[in-house]
Amino acid sequence: MKNILRVFVLLFTAFTFSCDDSFLEENKKQIDGYNLEVPLFVEPVSQFTEVSVTLPDLKNKDFNVFQYPKIIHFETFAGHIDETGKLAFRIKVDSFDNPVKLEPQNLGNIILNVEDFGLLAIKVQSSNWGTPKASINETLINFGTSRSEKDFKIENWANGFLWYRLIEKPSWLNLRRSSIQENYLELNDFKMLEPSSFVSYAIFLNTEGLAPGKHEGEIVFETTDEANPILRVVVEIEVLSYENPETMIPIEGVVMDAEFDKNTNTLWMITQNPSMLISYNLDTQSKKQISLEAAPYCINLSEDKKVIMIGQSTRIELVESSSLSIKEKIAVNYIVYDIVDAGNGYYYLVNKEKEIFAFNTTTKTISKLTFWNSNTLLDGMDMILKVKDKPQLLLSRSTYSPNGLYLVDIVEPTNPKLINYWHSGFGKRFFTSTGQDKVYSEENGHVYRFPSEAETERIYDLGKLVPFGSDAYEYYFNYTWFDHNPEVSKIWAAYSSMPWLNKNIVSEFNDQTFDRLREIPLNPYVATINGIKDYYNTIAHYVFSSKNGERLILIKNIDQYETKNWHIEVLDVTN
């Protein structure tokens, strides 16, 4: 530690002494001139000890002590400057009050009467920087994949001034005073910390050029605390590859709708810009696609799963699910927003204006339908579901509030009759269990008994699915999709959190008790946005589980960006 202390002496023209005679070495300086600009530093010493200075122009001269501070005692008041110019005398120093402070304390002057010269004054001073105690509040800082700045503190909780300097750091990080821009700490910069104080430094990373993987380095400080001469901070980081894993499959365009067949573990989805029909088989990991002539808006499977029905602008396209070959095109003069196979030889569809039509698959004719309740025309319905094993449709509306449910009889396919209506809110889309015994509300997570013609005025509320934490946000759950898998008695729900919650997840529930079993955070996706390639947070718009319940297939996009970064992600959920 002596080297660093010598530097401090040069900086402050002072030196800290121990209780032995080492301080006298500082008083043996060569002085080129008669004005002694370098003071004599003293501290209490009980034995007479030699002090000397060299005066090259005052050789072979006698001197006498003319005046001195009363705390200093001379062995003799007379002396001689030898042939080299060395002026020496022996003194001892009484104890005196010496408070801890940065500036030296002036104790007076020793005045010598030098032969053939006159009076020579030597200033007497004392310095007490105290005893520091150096420490660091964080000795291990793990950034992981984060690039946000992290802070640590150098502390000096003692009555002494601490000097320190940075002697080592990794090349991939820099330091600066926290909250002070451009105040960087460079290697070998000397800094001082007052007694009973601390200083905060921010670590900021520059990982450009670093190989992917985990990296570790040390920030090392040298200090004037003899008990803690070295302080270390270990810094750990992980550099990502900025490549998406094979379990993420990019999708070109904007996903408009999707369907999944658990029997074959096959996903079908439609996109706009470009207009495409895409299939992905979970078992073979094969992806196929065909171009569509018009922008698609909805997709559904026929009752036997052999035909894919695609509602588009100005047409309906029927595609064979096994080969993805176009089977039939039906021209219309509106945008088809939803379509369903009723299993009675008719497809029912709704357009952008929320008008409902029946398409006869045999005669290829289309009839516009009306729904009456007494003398009131019912309109505005834009979602259609075929009720299982019954000649009925369940309809809802997404843009009007409340968006209740309408149960309609289609015994006469082109003359539907309203059975009942339930005044309740389900959000833009309602979901049902596989066996259609329950209805899930995306708006508030409630689970209702599937309505029937015998249902009362209110649909029976069975419980609710709480995505995380408590039910404090009961009316703001913002589910985007539900998938029921009766094979494993589970419900999977994709949840889009409000921005301040930062909780985009997929949650797993028991399909009988509705207990939440676990939450799965959504993996980020590598994309280039505004010229910056990085990992971006995602949101799951669709979630489907495989037949055996061991895998999930998610259709996601980057959250908070109006970008085309849609992709499929396959997750193993066996653990």
Side-chain angles (χ1 to χ4, degrees):
M1 289 307 300
K2 220 164 188 183
N3 289 337
I4 189 171
L5 287 174
R6 290 293 184 192
V7 177
F8 294 149
V9 167
L10 294 176
L11 290 173
F12 297 96
T13 64
F15 193 74
T16 299
F17 311 115
S18 60
C19 292
D20 58 23
D21 298 338
S22 61
F23 76 94
L24 298 172
E25 295 296 322
E26 185 66 15
N27 300 315
K28 297 178 181 179
K29 291 182 175 290
Q30 294 281 341
I31 305 298
D32 297 324
Y34 303 130
N35 295 324
L36 297 186
E37 296 179 356
V38 178
L40 172 67
F41 282 93
V42 302
E43 56 181 41
V45 58
S46 59
Q47 297 179 347
F48 284 106
T49 306
E50 183 179 285
V51 177
S52 67
V53 295
T54 299
L55 306 172
D57 295 336
L58 297 179
K59 300 175 182 178
N60 297 313
K61 294 181 183 295
D62 295 329
F63 69 88
N64 290 292
V65 178
F66 180 76
Q67 183 178 316
Y68 56 91
K70 65 180 182 179
I71 62 172
I72 295 178
H73 303 276
F74 287 82
E75 189 174 51
T76 177
F77 292 107
H80 181 75
I81 303 172
D82 66 16
E83 67 276 2
T84 66
K86 178 182 177 182
L87 185 157
F89 47 82
R90 293 173 60 81
I91 63 172
K92 61 182 179 180
V93 182
D94 293 339
S95 297
F96 59 90
D97 184 26
N98 194 16
V100 174
K101 61 180 181 178
L102 189 60
E103 299 80 11
Q105 178 181 193
N106 291 321
L107 300 175
N109 295 292
I110 295 175
I111 300 176
L112 306 177
N113 188 3
V114 182
E115 177 187 1
D116 298 329
F117 175 78
L119 300 179
L120 176 67
I122 302 174
K123 183 182 293 185
V124 180
Q125 293 185 337
S126 177
S127 180
N128 181 13
W129 294 339
T131 303
K133 184 178 181 181
S135 63
I136 285 185
N137 71 323
E138 296 285 350
T139 57
L140 173 62
I141 298 178
N142 188 346
F143 280 84
T145 59
S146 171
R147 295 299 174 261
S148 300
E149 293 183 5
K150 292 182 182 290
D151 293 353
F152 68 90
K153 297 176 183 176
I154 298 178
E155 301 169 329
N156 177 30
W157 302 123
N159 188 25
F161 290 88
L162 175 72
W163 279 267
Y164 61 93
R165 66 173 176 173
L166 176 67
I167 62 173
E168 185 180 330
K169 72 175 183 66
S171 60
W172 36 264
L173 65 79
N174 287 299
L175 302 174
R176 70 175 171 215
R177 287 284 299 272
S178 297
S179 304
I180 303 178
Q181 297 296 322
E182 307 302 325
N183 192 343
Y184 298 107
L185 182 63
E186 303 294 344
L187 286 172
N188 295 313
D189 276 358
F190 287 97
K191 301 293 181 181
M192 186 270 292
L193 196 55
E194 294 183 348
S196 300
S197 63
F198 69 88
V199 61
S200 293
Y201 285 103
I203 304 174
F204 59 101
L205 303 177
N206 179 14
T207 59
E208 185 176 355
L210 277 185
K214 294 183 178 179
H215 298 263
E216 181 178 296
E218 279 190 332
I219 301 170
V220 184
F221 294 93
E222 190 177 37
T223 82
T224 55
D225 179 2
E226 293 184 0
N228 300 286
I230 297 294
L231 300 177
R232 302 177 188 273
V233 181
V234 177
V235 181
E236 297 176 347
I237 64 170
E238 183 177 357
V239 178
L240 298 173
S241 63
Y242 290 101
E243 298 293 336
N244 288 309
E246 293 182 356
T247 53
M248 291 185 180
I249 301 99
I251 301 170
E252 187 179 6
V254 177
V255 177
M256 300 300 295
D257 200 4
E259 284 289 331
F260 187 77
D261 180 10
K262 282 185 169 53
N263 292 323
T264 62
N265 277 340
T266 303
L267 170 72
W268 288 278
M269 56 189 156
I270 51 174
T271 66
Q272 290 186 9
N273 300 315
S275 298
M276 306 287 291
L277 168 64
I278 303 171
S279 72
Y280 180 80
N281 185 273
L282 198 56
D283 298 326
T284 64
Q285 300 180 22
S286 60
K287 177 184 171 187
K288 300 178 182 178
Q289 61 187 39
I290 61 171
S291 297
L292 301 173
E293 294 183 10
Y297 286 85
C298 64
I299 186 173
N300 213 327
L301 296 176
S302 63
E303 197 168 61
D304 59 9
K305 312 296 184 185
K306 293 181 180 181
V307 177
I308 304 169
M309 303 173 291
I310 304 173
Q312 301 169 266
S313 59
T314 71
R315 72 183 61 214
I316 302 167
E317 288 197 30
L318 306 180
V319 181
E320 289 185 354
S321 59
S322 59
S323 62
L324 290 193
S325 58
I326 304 296
K327 180 180 179 181
E328 191 172 354
K329 299 177 183 179
I330 301 104
V332 294
N333 58 1
Y334 41 75
I335 295 175
V336 179
Y337 263 34
D338 201 4
I339 186 169
V340 67
D341 180 6
N344 59 355
Y346 282 83
Y347 295 162
Y348 290 86
L349 54 117
V350 60
N351 66 7
K352 183 179 180 181
E353 287 70 34
K354 306 182 187 304
E355 299 171 318
I356 299 178
F357 301 84
F359 170 68
N360 188 315
T361 59
T362 302
T363 64
K364 312 300 180 184
T365 57
I366 297 179
S367 305
K368 182 179 178 181
L369 307 180
T370 56
F371 296 82
W372 292 86
N373 179 16
S374 300
N375 294 322
T376 303
L377 177 65
L378 302 176
D379 59 5
M381 294 168 281
D382 54 9
M383 180 179 174
I384 311 173
L385 176 74
K386 167 65 172 59
V387 178
K388 191 174 182 179
D389 301 327
K390 290 183 179 181
Q392 296 175 351
L393 299 177
L394 189 66
L395 300 98
S396 184
R397 54 189 181 186
S398 62
T399 55
Y400 298 151
S401 179
N403 48 356
L405 298 178
Y406 299 80
L407 188 63
V408 174
D409 183 295
I410 52 170
V411 172
E412 299 179 44
T414 59
N415 186 26
K417 296 179 174 60
L418 179 67
I419 298 173
N420 205 345
Y421 166 72
W422 295 272
H423 184 86
S424 185
F426 288 88
K428 293 182 178 180
R429 185 192 299 261
F430 67 86
F431 298 81
T432 70
S433 58
T434 301
Q436 285 191 352
D437 59 334
K438 299 179 182 68
V439 180
Y440 310 126
S441 168
E442 71 166 17
E443 185 175 67
N444 58 23
H446 279 254
V447 182
Y448 301 93
R449 184 168 61 199
F450 194 92
S452 68
E453 56 269 27
E455 197 74 54
T456 59
E457 291 183 359
R458 295 184 61 84
I459 301 178
Y460 189 79
D461 193 334
L462 299 172
K464 57 187 173 185
L465 305 170
V466 182
F468 65 91
S470 68
D471 59 356
Y473 300 95
E474 177 181 354
Y475 298 106
Y476 305 96
F477 278 171
N478 297 327
Y479 286 108
T480 58
W481 202 265
F482 291 96
D483 178 80
H484 178 225
N485 193 324
E487 295 289 329
V488 290
S489 299
K490 292 178 181 178
I491 303 167
W492 292 96
Y495 175 77
S496 169
S497 79
M498 295 184 177
W500 62 85
L501 295 177
N502 192 26
K503 197 80 172 176
N504 290 348
I505 55 175
V506 170
S507 295
E508 176 189 18
F509 301 93
N510 181 284
D511 70 350
Q512 298 301 313
T513 64
F514 313 134
D515 290 336
R516 185 177 64 254
L517 305 178
R518 61 173 151 170
E519 304 166 20
I520 300 178
L522 298 181
N523 293 321
Y525 186 72
V526 175
T528 301
I529 298 177
N530 297 328
I532 300 175
K533 186 176 184 180
D534 204 348
Y535 284 84
Y536 293 93
N537 292 333
T538 57
I539 178 175
H541 295 270
Y542 306 84
V543 56
F544 304 101
S545 61
S546 62
K547 183 177 181 180
N548 61 11
E550 295 181 351
R551 288 167 293 172
L552 292 184
I553 185 165
L554 309 179
I555 303 177
K556 301 160 55 191
N557 193 15
I558 290 176
D559 190 12
Q560 299 180 1
Y561 287 96
E562 295 296 329
T563 60
K564 294 195 300 182
N565 285 287
W566 290 81
H567 56 281
I568 299 169
E569 181 174 13
V570 179
L571 298 178
D572 185 329
V573 290
T574 54
N575 296 324

